[in-house]
Amino acid sequence: MPTSEIIIEIIYLVASALFVLSLKWMATPATARRGLFAGEIGMILAVAGTLLHHGILSYTWILVGLVLGAVIGVPLGNVAMTAVPQRTALSHAFGALCVTLVGAAHYYTERAELTTFGMSVLCAEVILGSLTFTGSLMAAGKLQEVLPQRPITFKGQNFVNLAMLAAAVVIAVMLVINPNNSILFPFIIAISLIFGVMLIIPIGGADMPTVISLLNSYAGLSAAAMGFVLDNKLLIIAGALDGSSGLILSVIMSKAMNRSFTNVLFGAFGQVQAKAAGATDERTVRSASPEEAASILGAASKVIIVPGYGMAVAQAQHKVREMYDILTRRGVDVKFGIHPVAGRMPGHMNVLLAEADIPYDKLMDLDQSNPEFPQTDVALIIGANDVTNPAARTDESSPIYGMPILDVDKARTVMVIKRSMSPGFAGIDNPLYYLDRTLMLFGDAKGFVGDIVKELAGGHH
Ligand code: NAP
C-alpha cells in the first residue's frame, strides 16, 4: 500500500473513532458539547482524508462543490430552533441525492467491473437514496407547512406502494443478473423517487418528526451501501452509525407517543380531529393574573415547571431562568419535569433550558417526575399541552389514550400558561383545564413569565 493511502486510512480510522465518541458523548447534556465538537473534527478529518485521494486529477470542481455547499449550508445552520426538524429533513434529502448521484455515476462508468455483490449493493444504494431524497423533501415541506399537513389517503394505497417497491426490487434483480441491461437503470431511480413521495403522503404532519428520524436511518443505510460500492470503510462505519441511531431514535419517539411503528407509517394519524365541542364550551375555567400567580408561587415550597412547545415558540427560557433564580433564592424547591416528546423534536426542552443555564440536575424525566407530583404545591405548565393531558390515562376514545403523560393533575395547584383554550399538536381538548385546582394564566409564555418575575422581584419578601 502506498504511503499516501496508509495516511488516508489512518485519518479515516481516527474520524470513525471520533464519530463513535461523538454519539456517546451526545447522550447526556453534560458532555453534549464535547460530542458535537468530536463530530465536527471527525467530519473535517473525513473530508480532508478524501481530498488526499490519489485518484483526484483536478481540484477545480471539488472547490466549486465546496463553495456551493457552504453557500447552502451556512444559512441552513442558522434557522430557528423550532425549524430544526425540517432543516434536518433537508440535510437528509441532500445526503440521499448525493448517494444516488454517486451510485448512478458509478454504474455508468464502472458497471463492467462490478461483481454480483457490488451490483446488488449499488441497487440497494440507489433505491434507498432516491426514496429518501423525495421522502425527506416531502417531510420538510409538510413540517414547514408549504405542503398540506393532512394525511392523503386513497383506497388500495398500501397495495399500490408495495407494488411499486416490489417493481423496483424486481428491476434490481434483473440488473444484478445482467448489469449491461442499462436501459433498466433509470427506471429503478424513477420508481424509487415516486415511492418516496407515496410513502410520505398518507402520514400526517404530526408524525413527521418520527418519520424524519426514520429517513435519517435510511440515509445512513444508503451511505453504508455506498461505502461497500466504493470500498470506503469510513462511509460504511458512519453510515451504519447513522442507520442504527436513527432507527433507535424513531423507536424511542414512537414509544413516548404510545404509537407502534406500523401505526406511524400506515395509521394516517391526525386525519380525524376528535372534538367534543358542545360539552367543552359550557364548562368553565378559572383564570388568574400575574400578581396572583406570583403570590401562589412565592408561597409554595415545592414547584415543578413543565415546559412545552409554547415555551420554545415564545423563546421564554431566559425569563423562566430568571423566575427560577428568584424562587430558588427565596428557598422554593424548583425542578423541571421534562416529557420525552415535549416540543417538536427529541431533547428540545433540554436544549432550551441548557441554553438558559438551568442546572442539569434540576431536570427530571418522566419517570422521576411522576412520583413527585403528589407532594408538589404547584405544577406550573409553560406552553405544554398534550404531554399533560389526563385523557391519555382515562379516556379510551382519545387519540392519545395510553400515551405516558406527566401527572401534573396530582399536584395541589396546577397553573397553565398559554394564550387561549386552543388545543396543542394532537388537536384535542385537555380536561386538565376544567379541574377545580387548575388556574389558567392566559398570555404569551415570555410575556407572562416576565410579568411574574416583575411581581416577584418588586413584591415584599
Ligand atoms: P402541544 O401539545 O403542541 O401544546 C403546545 C401549547 O403551547 C399549545 O396548546 C399552545 O396553546 C401553546 N402555545 C403556543 N404558543 C405559545 C406562546 N407563544 N405562549 C404560550 N403558549 C403558547 O405541546 P407539548 O405539550 O410540548 O406536546 C408536544 C406534542 O408534539 C405532542 O403531541 C407530541 O406527541 C408531539 N410531537 C413531539 C415530538 C418531539 O420529538 N418532541 C415529535 C413528534 C410529535 P395556545 O395556542 O392557547 O397558546
Side-chain angles (χ1 to χ4, degrees):
M1 207 194 266
T3 337
S4 68
E5 257 177 57
I6 296 178
I7 295 177
I8 295 179
E9 291 300 319
I10 292 175
I11 293 180
Y12 279 178
L13 187 67
V14 176
S16 305
L18 284 170
F19 289 153
V20 173
L21 287 173
S22 167
L23 279 180
K24 165 121 194 69
W25 284 333
M26 273 196 277
T28 57
T31 54
R33 259 172 221 273
R34 196 194 311 161
L36 274 180
F37 193 60
E40 283 164 356
I41 301 286
M43 201 47 97
I44 290 174
L45 285 178
V47 173
T50 307
L51 288 178
L52 292 178
H53 208 278
H54 64 87
I56 299 175
L57 301 177
S58 145
Y59 282 93
T60 322
W61 284 106
I62 296 179
L63 211 69
V64 171
L66 278 179
V67 171
L68 256 177
V71 166
I72 300 174
V74 170
L76 266 186
N78 288 327
V79 300
M81 184 93 72
T82 43
V84 165
Q86 49 268 48
R87 193 217 70 92
T88 310
L90 276 184
S91 299
H92 298 160
F94 288 137
L97 176 64
C98 160
V99 165
T100 312
L101 290 175
V102 171
H106 201 80
Y107 173 75
Y108 285 111
T109 54
E110 255 144 278
R111 64 173 177 276
E113 278 114 68
L114 279 172
T115 58
T116 306
F117 175 73
M119 191 61 211
S120 320
V121 180
L122 192 142
C123 287
E125 174 190 337
V126 292
I127 291 177
L128 278 170
S130 315
L131 75 87
T132 306
F133 172 57
T134 46
S136 301
L137 284 182
M138 289 290 295
K142 282 203 178 201
L143 280 172
Q144 190 61 32
E145 294 181 26
V146 290
L147 292 176
Q149 301 262 95
R150 293 184 138 258
I152 299 169
T153 49
F154 55 86
K155 222 173 150 213
Q157 191 163 25
N158 289 345
F159 176 76
V160 171
N161 288 357
L162 279 178
M164 280 175 64
L165 189 62
V169 173
V170 168
I171 298 179
V173 172
M174 288 163 75
L175 270 173
V176 170
I177 296 171
N178 178 10
N180 287 318
N181 203 351
S182 59
I183 204 159
L184 289 178
F185 193 76
F187 284 98
I188 288 202
I189 297 192
I191 296 176
S192 308
L193 287 174
I194 302 172
F195 179 75
V197 175
M198 301 296 280
L199 188 70
I200 304 302
I201 56 171
I203 306 174
D207 282 329
M208 276 311 126
T210 319
V211 170
I212 285 174
S213 177
L214 195 62
L215 288 167
N216 178 0
S217 170
Y218 292 168
L221 289 178
S222 66
M226 179 161 87
F228 279 108
V229 174
L230 300 180
D231 194 19
N232 182 321
K233 294 184 194 69
L234 179 64
L235 266 176
I236 299 175
I237 295 172
L241 288 174
D242 200 12
S244 50
S245 57
L247 188 67
I248 294 170
L249 183 58
S250 325
V251 171
I252 293 176
M253 286 165 80
S254 302
K255 271 208 186 120
M257 295 191 289
N258 193 41
R259 313 270 309 285
S260 73
F261 231 37
T262 35
N263 186 261
V264 167
L265 292 179
F266 305 112
F269 187 70
Q271 195 166 33
V272 278
Q273 301 261 318
K275 205 155 187 246
T280 310
D281 297 337
E282 282 154 34
R283 282 184 286 168
T284 52
V285 298
R286 292 192 303 145
S287 65
S289 65
E291 293 91 316
E292 290 164 300
S295 69
I296 295 172
L297 285 169
S301 56
K302 186 174 164 72
V303 173
I304 297 184
I305 297 178
V306 173
Y309 175 67
M311 183 187 82
V313 247
Q315 287 290 304
Q317 63 275 21
H318 298 284
K319 286 285 165 209
V320 170
R321 161 78 210 237
E322 286 178 38
M323 179 173 69
Y324 164 85
D325 280 343
I326 299 186
L327 288 172
T328 315
R329 245 182 279 132
R330 286 198 182 182
V332 184
D333 171 19
V334 185
K335 285 194 196 141
F336 293 79
I338 312 289
H339 191 281
V341 295
R344 289 295 180 270
M345 59 187 165
H348 201 169
M349 296 302 121
N350 304 62
V351 172
L352 292 175
L353 296 176
E355 182 196 316
D357 283 326
I358 303 228
Y360 304 132
D361 60 352
K362 298 294 172 191
L363 272 48
M364 303 184 290
D365 62 24
L366 189 76
D367 295 336
Q368 294 166 309
S369 313
N370 277 346
E372 300 221 2
F373 282 113
Q375 293 89 257
T376 298
D377 298 309
V378 184
L380 176 62
I381 299 154
I382 305 180
N385 187 345
D386 296 339
V387 300
T388 63
N389 192 335
R393 287 197 316 255
T394 52
D395 179 1
E396 277 181 49
S397 67
S398 169
I400 61 165
Y401 180 69
M403 166 172 155
I405 57 146
L406 286 162
D407 295 332
V408 290
D409 54 328
K410 308 249 164 89
R412 261 158 238 141
T413 302
V414 183
M415 296 203 286
V416 185
I417 301 182
K418 69 200 290 293
R419 295 162 308 172
S420 64
M421 292 300 288
S422 304
F425 199 73
I428 51 171
D429 195 29
N430 191 341
L432 177 74
Y433 305 152
Y434 309 99
L435 299 179
D436 284 342
R437 63 178 66 178
T438 303
L439 281 176
M440 298 302 290
L441 311 178
F442 289 117
D444 171 71
K446 190 173 174 181
F448 207 105
V449 176
D451 288 344
I452 293 180
V453 168
K454 270 187 222 139
E455 287 299 327
L456 286 171
H460 40 87
H461 292 249

